[in-house]
Amino acid sequence: MNKLLLTSNAASKEVFQMLQDEIVARLRSVGKKDNSQMVSQTQYHDAEDSLLKWGEHHGVKSKLRIAFYQGAGRGMVASESIGVGDTALEIPESLIISEELLCQSEVFLAIKDFNNITSETMLLLWSMRERHNLSSKFKTYFEALPENFNTGLSFGIDALAALEGTLLFDEIMQAKQHLRQQYEDLFPLLCTNFPEIFRKDVCTWDNFLWACELWYSNSMMVVLSSGKLSTCLVPVAGLLNHSVSPHILNYGRVDEATKSLKFPLSRPCDAGEQCFLSYGKHPGSHLVTFYGFLPRGDNPYDFIPLDLDTSADEEDGAAQSVSTSQTTHMVRGTWLSRSGGFPTYGLPQPLLSHLRAALGCDLDESTTEADIKENDRVVLETLLSIFNPMLEDLPETDESDRCYSRPHFCVGAIHLHHLPVVLISNRESASWDVKLALGYKDLQRRIISSIVTSCTSALENV
Ligand SMILES: C[S@@+](CC[C@H](N)C(=O)[O-])C[C@H]1O[C@@H](n2cnc3c(N)ncnc32)[C@H](O)[C@@H]1O
């Protein structure tokens, strides 16, 4: 828009200006509700102060300060109002931890030919070791990193038990298994072959897991000035928290002219407001597993996995009309679905189309109103038969934020009676991982129950 405004004639300029003002006004209204509660400013926190000073000394330019937020640890807050297109933060390439930095390290020279090792694994090993190197150039950075990342990879037995049967449970178990395998492939072999570089007391499973969580939760994909796309740690910028309506969306390429990584704003950030980054289009399960949090607000990338068996349709040829061969469909929260075309009843349109086709209830222009209604009744009842059992499998949470198991029924000597619901825990006093696990289940329940509500009210009207 800025470019168009510079080059267009007077009449067009007026129109472009109006368009730009309208776009900016709409951008300004986005994400206003996502203002988490700031706990404190940073002046009393040495590690964060030192990190900012160290960054400044090495050329970091920033319109942001560090602040502490409830439930999110550190975050970055705008010290002045920052407009669309303005750079909130600028990090010199020389401070970025990437495979190019790794190439100059002892770790790289020692193990570059070891068992087809990837540069990502070498970076992980480098950071595990560098954290304990008192003369590291990145000492201040490592000192400001959390002792524990508290991601899904560190979930304890109670949190995992609470998640059993969910997609998140599978995701965490698979990721943990993968990391365990990786650790066993590397250790104790590396300690035996390179005892000077890989000390046994440093190469523990806990330290390895810490390094994995560091890279999962803090790394960014960056195109370096060499043109290479690399997974990197970016000191200071690693303090930016994620939001579903972030201020910073487009970043990740080192500026050729300034040799720095810039973080420009896609929506304005007022002075004193937390400045959010986008970590990517991740569903809640991914954010819990690899980052250890669920974002506030409706996340458009959340989904419920469905296995729709279309084998019966294939036999009678109806499968040809199913537009995709995949059996897993994204079921978005109904508040995100769009209307238009055939009725969607507030339900996800791709899911409805798939079911209409799979059940042989395809609609076209010649379908009569009565047939549409009859077909849709079949589709909606099928949906309820899929989602109602899912809802029953998720435990209820009451208003006082306590978590209960489902009612227990038992056969007494004389009559059948049911026991009162059993209190599992008070959520306030639950551990961080159990709270997160329960939060994830609440989210699943919210999405599923919105589908059930839409189906039920649609059925009343068809
Ligand atoms: C890149 S770091 C951001 C800085 C981090 N808050 C800190 O104190 O070091 C990513 C981590 O921040 C936290 N985080 C990021 N966005 C969050 C959010 N919207 N809500 C809660 N925690 C968040 C999670 O613990 C995540 O693993």
Side-chain angles (χ1 to χ4, degrees):
M1 290 300 294
N2 283 341
K3 269 189 205 150
L4 282 171
L5 278 165
L6 283 176
T7 52
S8 53
N9 62 33
S12 315
K13 218 173 233 164
E14 200 179 332
V15 177
F16 285 134
Q17 189 59 57
M18 281 164 64
L19 189 55
Q20 189 180 46
D21 292 347
E22 182 58 27
I23 291 169
V24 171
R26 289 195 185 193
L27 285 173
R28 276 192 175 279
S29 68
V30 172
K32 281 290 176 206
K33 278 179 266 163
D34 192 359
N35 228 345
S36 345
Q37 216 183 331
M38 193 194 291
V39 179
S40 77
Q41 298 284 324
T42 185
Q43 56 264 36
Y44 303 114
H45 299 273
D46 292 346
E48 287 76 22
D49 270 353
S50 304
L51 179 67
L52 284 191
K53 284 195 190 114
W54 172 81
E56 220 172 284
H57 177 74
H58 286 90
V60 169
K61 292 183 195 150
S62 176
K63 293 187 172 124
L64 308 172
R65 287 177 286 117
I66 301 174
F68 287 74
Y69 290 91
Q70 207 159 32
R74 289 89 47 97
M76 300 208 87
V77 59
S79 27
E80 58 189 89
S81 291
I82 314 169
V84 174
D86 291 348
T87 301
L89 189 62
E90 189 173 340
I91 313 289
E93 191 176 19
S94 58
L95 283 192
I96 297 178
I97 298 172
S98 70
E99 58 185 279
E100 292 187 359
L101 173 97
L102 175 81
C103 291
Q104 306 146 23
S105 74
E106 260 185 307
V107 171
F108 177 78
L109 295 174
I111 61 170
K112 63 182 189 322
D113 300 320
F114 177 84
N115 283 358
N116 297 326
I117 198 161
T118 64
S119 53
E120 259 106 13
T121 306
M122 282 193 277
L123 271 169
L124 201 122
L125 296 173
W126 174 87
S127 48
M128 188 168 115
R129 205 173 154 261
E130 199 68 3
R131 183 187 177 203
H132 297 94
N133 174 6
L134 296 177
S135 52
S136 167
K137 172 186 170 187
F138 294 95
K139 185 167 170 279
T140 318
Y141 169 66
F142 279 101
E143 280 174 354
L145 286 171
E147 273 296 308
N148 299 302
F149 285 102
N150 290 353
T151 72
L153 300 171
S154 294
F155 268 20
I157 197 83
D158 288 346
L160 289 174
L163 286 175
E164 220 187 324
T166 65
L167 170 78
L168 178 56
F169 179 84
D170 295 343
E171 204 163 324
I172 292 177
M173 294 310 275
Q174 271 172 25
K176 273 188 128 168
Q177 219 169 345
H178 169 74
L179 296 182
R180 262 279 167 206
Q181 185 60 52
Q182 215 181 358
Y183 180 73
E184 278 162 23
D185 289 347
L186 295 166
F187 300 106
L189 205 56
L190 285 177
C191 300
T192 313
N193 290 359
F194 310 97
E196 310 276 279
I197 298 176
F198 296 104
R199 281 180 14 215
K200 272 194 177 143
D201 59 326
V202 171
C203 300
T204 60
W205 162 249
D206 284 350
N207 286 346
F208 180 76
L209 184 61
W210 181 90
C212 293
E213 289 183 288
L214 165 67
W215 280 87
Y216 282 134
S217 66
N218 277 251
S219 63
M220 299 178 188
M221 295 302 290
V222 178
V223 179
L224 301 166
S225 60
S226 62
K228 195 158 192 188
L229 178 69
S230 180
T231 314
C232 301
L233 292 175
V234 187
V236 185
L239 289 165
L240 287 160
N241 286 329
H242 169 87
S243 164
V244 289
S245 38
H247 299 89
I248 303 163
L249 270 163
N250 301 311
Y251 60 94
R253 180 177 284 275
V254 167
D255 186 314
E256 271 299 315
T258 56
K259 293 275 185 283
S260 63
L261 183 62
K262 293 182 180 170
F263 293 86
L265 259 56
S266 294
R267 77 176 176 90
C269 188
D270 295 337
E273 189 186 340
Q274 179 169 190
C275 186
F276 288 106
L277 185 76
S278 167
Y279 293 178
K281 300 173 176 182
H282 301 306
S285 61
H286 182 94
L287 290 170
V288 172
T289 305
F290 299 107
Y291 294 88
F293 75 98
L294 280 169
R296 284 162 180 247
D298 295 334
N299 179 358
Y301 307 107
D302 273 328
F303 64 91
I304 307 286
L306 291 182
D307 275 329
L308 297 178
D309 184 1
T310 52
S311 55
D313 310 316
E314 272 152 26
E315 275 159 32
D316 66 15
Q320 272 108 358
S321 54
V322 178
S323 55
T324 165
S325 61
Q326 287 179 342
T327 55
T328 305
H329 274 252
M330 299 279 277
V331 176
R332 308 213 175 241
T334 60
W335 54 89
L336 298 165
S337 69
R338 300 185 201 295
S339 55
F342 290 105
T344 61
Y345 314 105
L347 290 159
Q349 206 269 330
L351 175 70
L352 278 182
S353 307
H354 181 92
L355 272 181
R356 280 179 181 135
L359 297 167
C361 302
D362 265 345
L363 304 177
D364 60 37
E365 279 88 62
S366 62
T367 318
T368 64
E369 188 80 6
D371 281 346
I372 293 178
K373 286 194 169 183
E374 191 39 46
N375 284 349
D376 281 359
R377 177 168 289 281
V378 176
V379 169
L380 292 164
E381 276 165 357
T382 307
L383 274 176
L384 278 180
S385 72
I386 295 172
F387 285 98
N388 264 331
M390 284 190 191
L391 208 51
E392 282 161 22
D393 278 346
L394 288 164
E396 284 270 21
T397 311
D398 81 1
E399 279 156 12
S400 64
D401 225 13
R402 281 156 190 269
C403 167
Y404 295 95
S405 70
R406 276 185 295 143
H408 283 246
F409 293 89
C410 70
V411 185
I414 305 167
H415 58 268
L416 188 80
H417 68 280
H418 88 257
L419 295 173
V421 283
V422 179
L423 185 70
I424 291 178
S425 67
N426 182 319
R427 202 179 287 205
E428 279 304 303
S429 60
S431 54
W432 66 272
D433 51 347
V434 171
K435 270 188 201 156
L436 200 48
L438 296 177
Y440 174 78
K441 288 181 101 169
D442 285 348
L443 173 68
Q444 296 296 98
R445 171 168 261 278
R446 203 157 60 89
I447 297 174
I448 294 167
S449 79
S450 81
I451 302 240
V452 168
T453 306
S454 296
C455 287
T456 311
S457 58
L459 270 172
E460 283 163 14
N461 294 305
V462 294

